[in-house]
Amino acid sequence: MANYAAIILGAGKGTRMKSEVPKVLHEVAGTPMLGHVLGALKELKVKRTVVVVGHGSESVREGFADSGVEFVEQTAQLGTGHAVMSAMGALKGFKGKVLVLSGDVPLITSATLRGLLRVHKKGRGEGEAALSFVSAILHDATGYGRVTRGANNAITSIVEQKDCTPVERLINEINTGLYLFDSEFLFKNIKKLKTANAQGEYYLPDLIGIAVAEGRPVRALTHMDVLEVMGVNNRVELARATAIMRIRILKELMLSGVTIIDPGATYIDASVRVGKDTVISPGVHLKGSTVIGAGCVIEEGVKIVDSRIGDGSIVKSSSVVEASRVGCYARIGPFAHLRPGNSLSDDVRIGNFVELKKCKVGRGSKAGHLSYLGDAVIGKDVNIGAGTITCNYDGKNKFVTTIADNVFVGSDSQLVAPVKVGKNAYVGSGTTVTKDVPAGALVVARVEQKIKKGWVAKKGRMAESVKKSVRKSASRSRKKIKRGK
Ligand code: UD1
Ligand code: CA
């Protein structure tokens, strides 16, 4: 097994993106473009990966600090050849094969890269190539470097659009910017690049001409799926790449046993996992590190971010779940909002218009309607009545409400934290709990009920007499006006 290293070019400004964000950090289906390229590389077991950064290098380094790649800085962007020169120091002493990829080709697959390795190894009775690259045939090749071929269709060079003769401009085989080099050839020849061209830059593809001049084998893998090797240079291409990536993600999920009712209206990040027999309705957004179990139902318009949903759970329409854990066979929503930091056990039910933040909820507990529960530790089989509110914030600090197993909280109660309600206790409806409640106790704190018999009829008579006197005085003043007084 050969030794592989990779260089990913990502120092360019990405002028056409019109953005403050470095181009390779723009996201395609929730993952920065550079992340997709690294993902394709991962399956190839590349020993070392060097990312060339320049514009916005701080944020690129920060975003990929844990990815195991090395970074080199290209302080002035003098061309793709210069970018590779900048990476040579980091790979000093490396012997093997060097892949060079662009950080702005996010749809690249490991299958294509493996194809390039095969083409590189042998072809047409020749041995290993000194360099090989991926080409494609485009209907409109404008902007790309053109592949020129000579006798027997052998590759002779790559000519950039701006350096093309009118005849070369008619060529529709283009360079996709993905290369594989023999490391010795690369180290020896990268220094030979010159800037005598239309853009005054060091062109990496000039190495093709150099290899041909030395009589070394050069080969191309001509890719049939033009869209996969498409570079993203502006937001229109970014949206197009995202649309293609979405279809790829959804297709993979469907083939693994997930029902997606309308793939055209379902948005799932590449990083999300979904178990089989889960059914996903239209308008659903699943993002980040979300993991949905098997046999779940995710209804219309649900958004789930960085969360885990256990097997057999149902998340009903228009619910939002953020950075939370939900156990198995839970029922969430419709219109529930799980803000970050919740951990819900199995069989929990959270109903409509219930907002949860940093809550721990035990098995089988329920909060069915119109509640706010924040910083609460709720035990097993607890019933939270409609309209219950934990008053967890005094304007400065947040406090915890603890509700033990089997507690019944009546509707429209407030629990002023810090406060504890003991096991099996019963909170009477409408109570404001301000002090700890012992286990098994009933707590009621509300104005006692008074009955005034016959009050309505009496009030009715009073109202009638008032109306009569008002009418009398009004008619008196009308008469005065008529008499001209
Ligand atoms: C390049 C190729 C062209 C090919 C096309 C495919 C050259 C000279 N031309 O053109 O043959 O058809 O890609 O998409 O290589 N970069 C740096 N430092 C630099 C310049 C560029 O890191 O100094 C990076 C960019 O961030 C980008 C990649 O290299 O990720 C390609 O650069 P770009 O300017 O987009 O090259 P193209 O003009 O598209
Ligand atoms: Ca480009």
Side-chain angles (χ1 to χ4, degrees):
M1 180 77 186
N3 220 2
Y4 287 103
I7 299 172
I8 302 178
L9 308 186
K13 192 172 178 191
T15 314
R16 287 164 284 175
M17 293 299 284
K18 310 253 165 78
S19 176
E20 298 297 320
V21 178
K23 177 154 89 173
V24 295
L25 290 188
H26 280 269
E27 290 185 357
V28 167
T31 302
M33 290 202 270
L34 178 57
H36 285 293
V37 177
L38 291 176
L41 263 181
K42 215 178 203 169
E43 291 176 37
L44 265 75
K45 302 206 167 53
V46 169
K47 289 237 165 75
R48 295 180 59 191
T49 301
V50 179
V51 179
V52 183
V53 289
H55 280 280
S57 64
E58 277 307 303
S59 38
V60 181
R61 281 170 194 266
E62 213 179 285
F64 287 87
D66 305 325
S67 62
V69 303
E70 302 161 53
F71 294 96
V72 294
E73 198 91 19
Q74 185 197 17
T75 39
Q77 280 69 56
L78 306 177
T80 50
H82 183 260
V84 171
M85 281 176 210
S86 317
M88 297 308 343
L91 290 179
K92 202 172 169 195
F94 176 84
K95 277 203 172 62
K97 295 186 187 29
V98 182
L99 265 165
V100 177
L101 310 177
S102 271
D104 65 351
V105 183
L107 298 174
I108 188 71
T109 61
S110 51
T112 295
L113 298 179
R114 276 196 297 270
L116 181 60
L117 306 189
R118 275 196 299 276
V119 164
H120 188 90
K121 269 191 194 143
K122 55 176 187 271
R124 279 204 202 162
E126 296 165 322
E128 243 182 52
L131 82 85
S132 49
F133 64 98
V134 181
S135 75
I137 313 287
L138 298 191
H139 179 65
D140 176 10
T142 311
Y144 287 96
R146 310 296 208 279
V147 180
T148 65
R149 291 180 182 259
N152 293 326
N153 212 27
I155 294 158
T156 51
S157 69
I158 290 176
V159 187
E160 291 306 303
Q161 161 98 17
K162 288 184 178 151
D163 301 281
C164 278
T165 63
V167 173
E168 284 167 340
R169 226 165 268 165
L170 299 175
I171 298 171
N172 59 359
E173 185 181 9
I174 61 105
N175 167 30
T176 66
L178 310 169
Y179 315 82
L180 184 61
F181 292 93
D182 168 69
S183 63
E184 255 169 78
F185 172 84
L186 182 63
F187 277 105
K188 192 172 133 229
N189 294 290
I190 189 88
K191 298 170 237 167
K192 296 185 187 162
L193 295 178
K194 302 257 161 36
T195 57
N197 53 54
Q199 300 183 77
E201 285 182 0
Y202 296 97
Y203 289 167
L204 187 63
D206 282 357
L207 285 172
I208 282 121
I210 292 173
V212 170
E214 281 194 355
R216 304 283 308 268
V218 172
R219 283 195 285 270
L221 167 71
T222 306
H223 205 289
M224 292 302 149
D225 182 356
V226 173
L227 292 172
E228 183 192 314
V229 290
M230 151 183 131
V232 171
N233 294 308
N234 59 42
R235 311 255 184 171
V236 177
E237 289 165 351
L238 185 70
R240 196 185 299 155
T242 302
I244 296 167
M245 184 62 79
R246 272 186 51 215
I247 292 166
R248 242 191 229 175
I249 294 166
L250 296 174
K251 193 172 158 194
E252 204 173 297
L253 286 173
M254 290 187 279
L255 292 176
S256 76
V258 177
T259 296
I260 293 175
I261 291 170
D262 184 358
T266 306
Y267 304 84
I268 302 183
D269 283 357
S271 46
V272 169
R273 300 281 163 265
V274 185
K276 67 177 183 180
D277 288 325
T278 285
V279 178
I280 299 178
S281 293
V284 167
H285 294 250
L286 304 179
K287 293 169 163 288
S289 58
T290 294
V291 179
I292 309 285
C296 293
V297 175
I298 312 295
E299 290 189 354
E300 299 75 12
V302 165
K303 176 174 158 186
I304 303 178
V305 186
D306 296 332
S307 296
R308 269 178 178 271
I309 309 289
D311 295 346
S313 290
I314 301 180
V315 184
K316 296 189 175 180
S317 304
S318 304
S319 295
V320 176
V321 180
E322 302 162 289
S324 290
R325 281 172 166 266
V326 174
C328 299
Y329 308 105
R331 301 269 181 284
I332 309 294
F335 299 102
H337 187 185
L338 270 58
R339 288 168 49 206
N342 298 294
S343 174
L344 277 48
S345 299
D346 297 348
D347 301 311
V348 164
R349 289 186 183 208
I350 302 296
N352 23 205
F353 305 106
V354 174
E355 175 183 343
L356 257 66
K357 188 220 75 173
K358 271 197 193 165
C359 284
K360 205 166 173 282
V361 183
R363 180 189 270 264
S365 290
K366 298 177 190 141
H369 337 261
L370 302 156
S371 283
Y372 170 64
L373 303 169
D375 303 299
V377 179
I378 298 170
K380 287 183 280 187
D381 298 315
V382 169
N383 185 83
I384 304 283
T388 297
I389 292 172
T390 55
C391 311
N392 58 331
Y393 185 51
D394 67 359
K396 276 190 196 134
N397 297 303
K398 300 270 166 71
F399 299 97
V400 173
T401 302
T402 309
I403 302 172
D405 294 351
N406 216 26
V407 164
F408 184 96
V409 180
S411 299
D412 194 28
S413 296
Q414 298 94 53
L415 299 132
V416 183
V419 76
K420 290 192 173 114
V421 182
K423 261 190 183 179
N424 302 320
Y426 198 105
V427 178
S429 172
T431 293
T432 302
V433 181
T434 51
K435 292 184 200 118
D436 289 357
V437 180
L442 164 71
V443 57
V444 190
R446 59 185 182 222
V447 178
E448 215 172 309
Q449 182 169 313
K450 283 180 196 154
I451 302 281
K452 292 189 179 178
K453 284 190 175 160
W455 181 88
V456 175
K458 214 163 106 192
K459 194 183 175 196
R461 280 197 298 278
M462 273 159 55
E464 247 343 282
S465 67
V466 170
K467 266 190 217 160
K468 266 182 198 159
S469 72
V470 169
R471 257 185 253 133
K472 254 186 200 163
S473 78
S475 88
R476 245 185 266 129
S477 40
R478 267 198 304 274
K479 279 174 191 160
K480 275 185 188 168
I481 294 165
K482 263 192 187 164
R483 277 185 249 125
K485 283 186 182 167

Coordinates of all heavy atoms in Angstrom, one line a residue, residues 33-90:
M33 N -17.5 23.6 3.1 CA -17.0 22.9 1.9 C -15.8 22.1 2.2 O -15.6 21.0 1.7 CB -16.8 23.9 0.8 CG -18.1 24.5 0.2 SD -17.8 25.2 -1.4 CE -17.4 26.8 -1.0
L34 N -14.9 22.7 3.0 CA -13.6 22.0 3.3 C -13.9 20.7 4.0 O -13.2 19.7 3.8 CB -12.7 23.0 4.1 CG -11.4 22.4 4.6 CD1 -10.5 21.9 3.5 CD2 -10.6 23.4 5.5
G35 N -14.9 20.7 4.9 CA -15.3 19.5 5.6 C -15.7 18.4 4.7 O -15.4 17.2 4.9
H36 N -16.4 18.7 3.6 CA -16.8 17.7 2.6 C -15.6 17.1 1.9 O -15.6 15.9 1.7 CB -17.8 18.3 1.6 CG -19.2 18.6 2.1 ND1 -20.0 17.5 2.5 CD2 -19.8 19.7 2.4 CE1 -21.2 18.0 2.9 NE2 -21.1 19.4 2.9
V37 N -14.7 18.0 1.6 CA -13.5 17.5 0.9 C -12.7 16.5 1.8 O -12.3 15.5 1.4 CB -12.6 18.7 0.4 CG1 -11.3 18.1 -0.2 CG2 -13.3 19.5 -0.5
L38 N -12.6 16.9 3.1 CA -11.9 16.1 4.1 C -12.6 14.8 4.3 O -12.0 13.7 4.5 CB -11.8 16.8 5.4 CG -10.8 18.0 5.4 CD1 -10.9 18.7 6.8 CD2 -9.4 17.6 5.1
G39 N -14.0 14.8 4.2 CA -14.8 13.6 4.3 C -14.5 12.6 3.2 O -14.3 11.4 3.5
A40 N -14.3 13.1 2.0 CA -14.0 12.2 0.9 C -12.7 11.6 1.0 O -12.4 10.5 0.6 CB -14.1 13.0 -0.5
L41 N -11.8 12.4 1.6 CA -10.4 11.9 1.8 C -10.3 10.9 2.9 O -9.4 10.0 2.8 CB -9.5 13.1 2.3 CG -8.7 13.9 1.3 CD1 -7.9 14.9 2.0 CD2 -7.7 12.9 0.5
K42 N -11.1 11.0 3.9 CA -11.1 10.1 5.0 C -11.0 8.6 4.7 O -10.2 7.9 5.2 CB -12.3 10.4 5.9 CG -12.0 10.3 7.4 CD -13.2 10.6 8.2 CE -12.9 11.1 9.6 NZ -14.1 11.6 10.2
E43 N -11.9 8.3 3.7 CA -12.0 6.8 3.3 C -10.7 6.3 2.6 O -10.5 5.2 2.5 CB -13.2 6.6 2.5 CG -14.5 6.8 3.2 CD -15.7 6.7 2.3 OE1 -15.7 5.8 1.4 OE2 -16.7 7.5 2.6
L44 N -9.9 7.3 2.2 CA -8.7 6.8 1.5 C -7.5 6.6 2.4 O -6.4 6.2 2.0 CB -8.3 7.9 0.5 CG -8.8 7.7 -0.9 CD1 -10.3 8.0 -1.0 CD2 -8.0 8.5 -1.9
K45 N -7.7 6.8 3.7 CA -6.6 6.5 4.7 C -5.3 7.3 4.3 O -4.2 6.7 4.2 CB -6.3 5.0 4.8 CG -7.6 4.2 5.2 CD -7.2 3.0 5.9 CE -8.4 2.4 6.6 NZ -9.5 2.1 5.8
V46 N -5.5 8.5 4.0 CA -4.3 9.4 3.7 C -3.5 9.6 5.0 O -4.1 9.9 6.1 CB -4.8 10.7 3.1 CG1 -3.8 11.8 3.0 CG2 -5.5 10.5 1.8
K47 N -2.2 9.5 4.9 CA -1.4 9.6 6.2 C -1.4 11.0 6.7 O -1.5 11.3 7.9 CB 0.0 9.2 5.9 CG 0.1 7.7 5.7 CD 1.1 7.0 6.6 CE 0.9 5.5 6.7 NZ 1.5 4.9 5.5
R48 N -1.2 12.0 5.8 CA -1.1 13.4 6.3 C -1.9 14.3 5.3 O -1.9 14.1 4.1 CB 0.4 13.8 6.3 CG 1.2 13.0 7.3 CD 2.6 13.5 7.3 NE 2.7 14.9 7.6 CZ 3.9 15.6 7.4 NH1 4.9 15.0 7.0 NH2 3.9 16.9 7.7
T49 N -2.5 15.3 5.9 CA -3.3 16.2 5.1 C -2.9 17.6 5.5 O -2.9 18.0 6.6 CB -4.8 16.1 5.3 OG1 -5.2 14.7 5.0 CG2 -5.6 17.0 4.5
V50 N -2.4 18.4 4.5 CA -2.0 19.7 4.7 C -3.0 20.7 4.0 O -3.2 20.5 2.8 CB -0.6 19.9 4.1 CG1 -0.1 21.4 4.3 CG2 0.4 19.0 4.7
V51 N -3.5 21.6 4.7 CA -4.5 22.5 4.2 C -3.8 23.9 4.0 O -3.2 24.4 5.0 CB -5.7 22.7 5.0 CG1 -6.7 23.7 4.4 CG2 -6.4 21.4 5.2
V52 N -3.8 24.4 2.8 CA -3.1 25.7 2.5 C -4.2 26.8 2.8 O -5.2 26.8 2.2 CB -2.6 25.8 1.1 CG1 -1.9 27.1 0.9 CG2 -1.7 24.6 0.8
V53 N -3.9 27.6 3.8 CA -4.8 28.7 4.1 C -4.2 30.1 3.9 O -3.0 30.2 3.9 CB -5.3 28.6 5.6 CG1 -6.2 27.4 5.8 CG2 -4.1 28.5 6.6
G54 N -5.0 31.1 3.7 CA -4.5 32.4 3.5 C -5.6 33.4 3.9 O -5.6 33.8 5.1
H55 N -6.5 33.7 3.0 CA -7.6 34.6 3.4 C -8.4 34.0 4.5 O -8.9 32.9 4.4 CB -8.5 34.9 2.2 CG -7.9 35.9 1.3 ND1 -8.0 37.3 1.6 CD2 -7.1 35.8 0.2 CE1 -7.3 38.0 0.6 NE2 -6.8 37.1 -0.2
G56 N -8.6 34.8 5.6 CA -9.4 34.3 6.7 C -8.9 33.0 7.4 O -9.6 32.2 7.9
S57 N -7.5 32.9 7.3 CA -6.9 31.7 7.8 C -7.3 31.4 9.3 O -7.4 30.2 9.6 CB -5.4 31.7 7.6 OG -4.8 32.7 8.4
E58 N -7.4 32.4 10.1 CA -7.7 32.2 11.5 C -9.0 31.4 11.7 O -9.0 30.4 12.4 CB -7.9 33.6 12.2 CG -6.6 34.2 12.6 CD -5.7 33.3 13.5 OE1 -6.2 32.8 14.5 OE2 -4.6 33.0 13.1
S59 N -10.0 31.8 11.0 CA -11.3 31.1 11.2 C -11.3 29.7 10.6 O -11.9 28.8 11.1 CB -12.5 32.0 10.6 OG -12.1 32.6 9.5
V60 N -10.5 29.5 9.5 CA -10.4 28.2 8.9 C -9.7 27.3 9.9 O -10.1 26.1 10.2 CB -9.7 28.2 7.6 CG1 -9.6 26.8 7.0 CG2 -10.4 29.1 6.6
R61 N -8.6 27.7 10.5 CA -7.8 27.0 11.5 C -8.7 26.6 12.7 O -8.7 25.5 13.2 CB -6.6 27.7 12.0 CG -5.5 27.8 11.1 CD -4.5 28.8 11.6 NE -3.4 29.1 10.7 CZ -2.2 28.5 10.6 NH1 -1.9 27.6 11.5 NH2 -1.4 28.8 9.7
E62 N -9.5 27.6 13.1 CA -10.3 27.4 14.3 C -11.4 26.4 14.0 O -11.7 25.5 14.8 CB -11.0 28.8 14.6 CG -11.3 29.0 16.0 CD -11.9 30.4 16.2 OE1 -11.2 31.4 16.0 OE2 -13.1 30.4 16.4
G63 N -12.1 26.5 12.8 CA -13.2 25.6 12.4 C -12.7 24.2 12.3 O -13.5 23.3 12.5
F64 N -11.4 24.0 12.0 CA -11.0 22.6 11.7 C -9.8 22.2 12.7 O -9.0 21.3 12.4 CB -10.5 22.5 10.3 CG -11.7 22.4 9.4 CD1 -12.3 23.6 8.9 CD2 -12.3 21.2 9.0 CE1 -13.4 23.6 8.1 CE2 -13.4 21.2 8.2 CZ -14.0 22.4 7.7
A65 N -9.9 22.8 13.9 CA -8.8 22.6 14.9 C -8.7 21.1 15.3 O -7.7 20.6 15.5 CB -9.0 23.5 16.1
D66 N -9.9 20.4 15.3 CA -9.9 19.1 15.8 C -9.9 18.0 14.7 O -10.2 16.9 14.9 CB -11.2 18.8 16.7 CG -11.3 19.8 17.8 OD1 -10.3 20.2 18.3 OD2 -12.4 20.2 18.1
S67 N -9.7 18.5 13.5 CA -9.9 17.6 12.3 C -8.6 16.7 12.0 O -8.6 15.9 11.2 CB -10.3 18.4 11.1 OG -9.2 19.2 10.8
G68 N -7.5 17.0 12.7 CA -6.3 16.2 12.5 C -5.5 16.6 11.3 O -4.5 15.9 10.9
V69 N -5.9 17.7 10.7 CA -5.1 18.2 9.5 C -4.0 19.2 10.0 O -4.1 19.8 11.0 CB -6.0 18.8 8.4 CG1 -7.1 17.8 8.0 CG2 -6.6 20.1 8.9
E70 N -3.1 19.4 9.1 CA -2.0 20.4 9.4 C -2.3 21.6 8.5 O -2.9 21.5 7.4 CB -0.6 19.9 9.0 CG -0.3 18.6 9.8 CD 0.9 17.9 9.1 OE1 1.9 18.5 8.8 OE2 0.7 16.7 8.8
F71 N -2.0 22.8 9.0 CA -2.2 24.0 8.2 C -0.9 24.7 7.8 O 0.1 24.7 8.6 CB -3.0 25.0 9.0 CG -4.4 24.6 9.3 CD1 -4.7 24.0 10.5 CD2 -5.4 24.7 8.4 CE1 -6.0 23.5 10.8 CE2 -6.7 24.3 8.6 CZ -7.0 23.7 9.9
V72 N -0.8 25.2 6.6 CA 0.3 26.0 6.2 C -0.3 27.3 5.7 O -1.3 27.3 5.1 CB 1.3 25.4 5.1 CG1 2.0 24.2 5.7 CG2 0.5 25.1 3.9
E73 N 0.5 28.4 5.9 CA 0.0 29.7 5.5 C 0.6 30.1 4.2 O 1.8 30.0 4.0 CB 0.4 30.7 6.6 CG -0.3 32.0 6.6 CD -1.6 32.0 7.5 OE1 -1.7 31.1 8.4 OE2 -2.4 32.8 7.2
Q74 N -0.3 30.5 3.2 CA 0.2 31.1 2.0 C -0.1 32.6 2.1 O -1.2 33.0 2.0 CB -0.5 30.5 0.8 CG 0.1 31.0 -0.5 CD -0.9 30.7 -1.7 OE1 -2.0 30.5 -1.5 NE2 -0.3 30.8 -2.9
T75 N 0.9 33.4 2.4 CA 0.7 34.8 2.8 C 0.2 35.6 1.6 O -0.6 36.5 1.8 CB 1.9 35.4 3.5 OG1 3.1 34.9 2.9 CG2 2.0 35.0 5.0
A76 N 0.9 35.4 0.5 CA 0.4 36.1 -0.7 C -0.1 35.1 -1.7 O 0.5 34.0 -1.9 CB 1.5 36.9 -1.4
Q77 N -1.3 35.3 -2.3 CA -1.9 34.3 -3.2 C -1.4 34.5 -4.6 O -1.9 35.3 -5.4 CB -3.4 34.4 -3.1 CG -4.0 33.7 -1.9 CD -3.7 34.4 -0.6 OE1 -4.0 35.6 -0.5 NE2 -3.2 33.7 0.3
L78 N -0.3 33.8 -4.9 CA 0.4 34.0 -6.2 C 0.1 32.9 -7.1 O 0.8 32.7 -8.1 CB 1.9 34.1 -5.9 CG 2.4 35.2 -4.9 CD1 3.9 35.1 -4.8 CD2 2.0 36.5 -5.4
G79 N -1.0 32.2 -6.9 CA -1.4 31.1 -7.8 C -1.4 29.7 -7.2 O -0.8 29.5 -6.1
T80 N -2.1 28.8 -7.9 CA -2.2 27.4 -7.3 C -0.9 26.7 -7.2 O -0.6 25.9 -6.3 CB -3.2 26.6 -8.2 OG1 -2.7 26.7 -9.6 CG2 -4.6 27.1 -8.1
G81 N 0.1 27.0 -8.1 CA 1.4 26.4 -8.1 C 2.1 26.9 -6.8 O 2.8 26.2 -6.1
H82 N 2.0 28.2 -6.5 CA 2.6 28.8 -5.4 C 2.0 28.2 -4.1 O 2.7 28.0 -3.1 CB 2.4 30.3 -5.4 CG 3.1 31.1 -4.3 ND1 2.4 31.5 -3.2 CD2 4.4 31.4 -4.1 CE1 3.2 32.1 -2.4 NE2 4.4 32.0 -2.9
A83 N 0.7 28.0 -4.1 CA 0.0 27.4 -2.9 C 0.6 26.0 -2.6 O 0.9 25.7 -1.4 CB -1.5 27.3 -3.2
V84 N 0.9 25.2 -3.6 CA 1.5 23.9 -3.4 C 2.9 24.1 -2.9 O 3.4 23.4 -2.0 CB 1.4 23.0 -4.7 CG1 2.2 21.7 -4.5 CG2 -0.1 22.7 -4.9
M85 N 3.7 25.1 -3.5 CA 5.0 25.3 -3.0 C 5.0 25.6 -1.5 O 5.9 25.2 -0.8 CB 5.6 26.6 -3.7 CG 6.1 26.4 -5.1 SD 6.6 28.0 -5.8 CE 6.3 27.8 -7.5
S86 N 4.0 26.4 -1.1 CA 3.9 26.7 0.4 C 3.7 25.5 1.2 O 4.1 25.5 2.4 CB 2.7 27.6 0.6 OG 2.6 28.6 -0.4
A87 N 3.2 24.4 0.7 CA 2.9 23.2 1.5 C 4.1 22.3 1.5 O 4.2 21.3 2.2 CB 1.7 22.5 0.9
M88 N 5.1 22.5 0.6 CA 6.2 21.6 0.4 C 7.0 21.4 1.7 O 7.5 20.3 2.0 CB 7.1 21.9 -0.8 CG 6.5 21.9 -2.1 SD 5.5 20.5 -2.8 CE 5.8 19.1 -1.9
G89 N 7.2 22.5 2.4 CA 8.0 22.5 3.6 C 7.4 21.5 4.6 O 8.1 20.7 5.3
A90 N 6.1 21.5 4.8 CA 5.4 20.7 5.7 C 5.6 19.2 5.4 O 5.5 18.3 6.2 CB 3.9 21.1 5.8

